[in-house]
């Protein structure tokens, strides 16, 4: 028997087994690159359910427009890409397990999913969740396709021109390299450290915007410019890092920290670069923002919010109170 087909099949099986780890890259959260078909992790989602006990709060629900209260539903455009923000757990039809021939029908999980579901329960409405790539959600809000969007959207001065935000967490921008790469030390504090390197990031994200806007820093420093490669899927970014096609990933703090905690990902987190408030996104002038703000603050007050963040390991990103359209953090 020719051994080559066997070796080929073994390589395919090994690649499929690794996909759940590769998909941990954080490009979909507040600034993510979009839906990753392999967006699963190599273990089930945490089993505790702090959302189960949440009940409707009449004072918050009363802030909804009458037609929304009557309809009882809201359409949410949801970018599902990576843990801990929003992802398809191992065993879901969108996880890599399906590609290897197994899997059960499981919904998306994650911090953003739990917070949105809890807000909906406070407001007494149900969510019609529609998966969407990160870069398509904000433009679709203006057309009325969705009532609001989730995807770890960072609040920036540019986005505030066309989008309303209701904050629910504080995350931001960070960097990661392949474990063993010591060229950048243990932290990126200045973009000139990236001069001459290739950075991978997600399409339509604050990371892409930051890197593009600051690309001239290297020339000013008399150094070779950095190159930016944009990916539409989270797994593709990490694959590029592992294969040496990029030197560093720029993505969300919480996502990269979570990724680095998975030994098989072989990445090292290089610390926080720039913090950003993260919020539910709405079309400008949306009548829903006050109700959502009240709901988030109810969850903070009754302790549900803290339990959700503890579940997903993001307690360090907690906020004290939800705000509508705060200025970008500097």
């Amino acid at each position: 028997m020719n051994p080559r087909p066997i070796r080929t099949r073994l390589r395919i099986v090994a690649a499929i087994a690794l996909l759940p780890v590769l998909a941990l890259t954080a490009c979909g959260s507040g600034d993510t690159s979009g839906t990753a078909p392999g967006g699963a992790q190599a273990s089930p989602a945490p089993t505790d359910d702090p959302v189960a006990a949440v009940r409707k709060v009449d004072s918050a629900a009363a802030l909804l427009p009458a037609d929304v209260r009557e309809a009882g539903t809201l359409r949410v455009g949801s970018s599902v890409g990576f843990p801990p923000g929003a992802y398809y757990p191992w065993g879901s039809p969108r996880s890599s397990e399906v590609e290897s021939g197994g899997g059960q029908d499981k919904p998306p999980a994650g911090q953003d999913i739990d917070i949105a579901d809890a807000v909906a329960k406070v407001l007494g409405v149900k969510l019609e969740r529609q998966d969407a790539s990160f870069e398509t959600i904000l433009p679709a809000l203006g057309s009325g396709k969705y009532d609001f969007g989730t995807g770890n959207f960072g609040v920036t001065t540019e986005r505030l021109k066309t989008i309303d935000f209701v904050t629910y967490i504080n995350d931001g921008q960070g960097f990661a390299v392949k474990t063993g790469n010591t060229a950048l030390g243990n932290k990126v504090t200045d973009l000139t450290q990236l001069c001459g390197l290739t950075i991978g990031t997600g399409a339509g994200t604050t990371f892409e915007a930051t890197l593009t806007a600051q690309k001239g820093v290297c020339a000013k420093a008399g150094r070779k410019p950095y190159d930016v490669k944009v990916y539409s899927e989270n797994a593709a970014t990490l694959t590029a890092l592992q294969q040496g096609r990029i030197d560093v990933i720029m993505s969300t703090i919480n996502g990269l920290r979570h990724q680095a905690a998975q030994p098989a990902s072989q990445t090292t987190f290089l610390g926080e670069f720039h913090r950003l408030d993260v919020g539910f996104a709405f079309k400008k002038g949306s009548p829903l923002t006050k109700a959502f703000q009240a709901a988030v603050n109810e969850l903070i007050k009754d302790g549900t919010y803290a339990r959700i963040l503890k579940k997903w390991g993001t307690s360090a990103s907690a906020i004290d109170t939800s705000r509508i359209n705060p200025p970008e953090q500097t």
Side-chain angles (χ1 to χ4, degrees), residues 239-250:
T239 300
L241 182 72
Q242 301 294 13
Q243 294 180 348
R245 289 183 282 117
I246 60 174
D247 302 298
V248 59
I249 292 173
M250 187 179 190

Side-chain angles (χ1 to χ4, degrees), residues 284-309:
K284 205 67 181 173
S286 171
L288 299 173
T289 55
K290 290 184 178 179
F292 270 68
Q293 180 191 34
V296 174
N297 285 331
E298 285 288 342
L299 296 170
I300 292 172
K301 183 172 68 175
D302 71 14
T304 300
Y305 175 78
R307 290 192 291 274
I308 291 173
L309 268 56

Side-chain angles (χ1 to χ4, degrees), residues 66-281:
D67 60 334
V68 174
R69 294 198 304 272
E70 183 177 348
T73 60
L74 288 170
R75 297 159 301 163
V76 52
S78 182
S79 174
V80 181
F82 73 97
Y87 70 106
Y88 284 98
W90 187 243
S92 77
R94 294 295 296 278
S95 78
S96 303
E97 183 181 359
V98 174
E99 297 179 38
S100 58
Q104 300 174 352
D105 186 4
K106 293 184 180 181
Q111 161 203 279
D112 288 2
I113 302 297
D114 279 354
I115 294 176
D117 286 348
V119 164
K121 292 185 76 172
V122 169
L123 297 178
V125 298
K126 294 187 179 301
L127 298 182
E128 294 179 356
R129 184 171 278 112
Q130 301 176 36
D131 287 2
S133 60
F134 177 83
E135 66 271 22
T136 66
I137 294 176
L138 297 186
L141 293 173
S143 70
K145 183 176 182 179
Y146 312 121
D147 295 306
F148 71 103
T150 62
N152 206 39
F153 289 107
V155 180
T156 67
T157 301
E158 187 63 27
R159 286 177 175 167
L160 284 169
K161 295 175 182 178
T162 57
I163 300 294
D164 282 341
F165 289 96
V166 174
T167 61
Y168 62 85
I169 202 165
N170 184 265
D171 196 346
Q173 304 173 334
F175 293 92
V177 294
K178 187 175 181 179
T179 298
N181 182 348
T182 60
L184 292 172
N186 60 11
K187 188 175 178 64
V188 174
T189 58
D190 191 300
L191 293 184
T192 56
Q193 292 173 251
L194 305 177
C195 296
L197 301 179
T198 301
I199 306 105
T201 195
T205 64
T206 63
F207 319 121
E208 181 187 11
T210 295
L211 292 169
T212 300
Q214 299 296 320
K215 206 163 186 179
V217 298
C218 294
K220 290 180 182 178
R223 301 179 62 185
K224 182 180 178 181
Y226 55 72
D227 186 31
V228 180
K229 292 190 180 299
V230 177
Y231 297 88
S232 60
E233 294 182 357
N234 302 312
T237 313
L238 185 53
T239 300
L241 182 72
Q242 301 294 13
Q243 294 180 348
R245 289 183 282 117
I246 60 174
D247 302 298
V248 59
I249 292 173
M250 187 179 190
S251 194
T252 66
I253 293 167
N254 286 336
L256 292 178
R257 183 178 281 127
H258 184 282
Q259 173 187 281
Q262 317 304 313
S265 74
Q266 301 177 37
T267 63
T268 298
F269 178 57
L270 296 186
E272 301 178 5
F273 179 70
H274 178 47
R275 278 274 174 180
L276 284 173
D277 288 311
V278 169
F280 297 112

Side-chain angles (χ1 to χ4, degrees), residues 51-57 118 121-123:
V51 181
V54 177
R55 298 291 180 264
K56 180 180 178 181
V57 177
K121 292 185 76 172
V122 169
L123 297 178

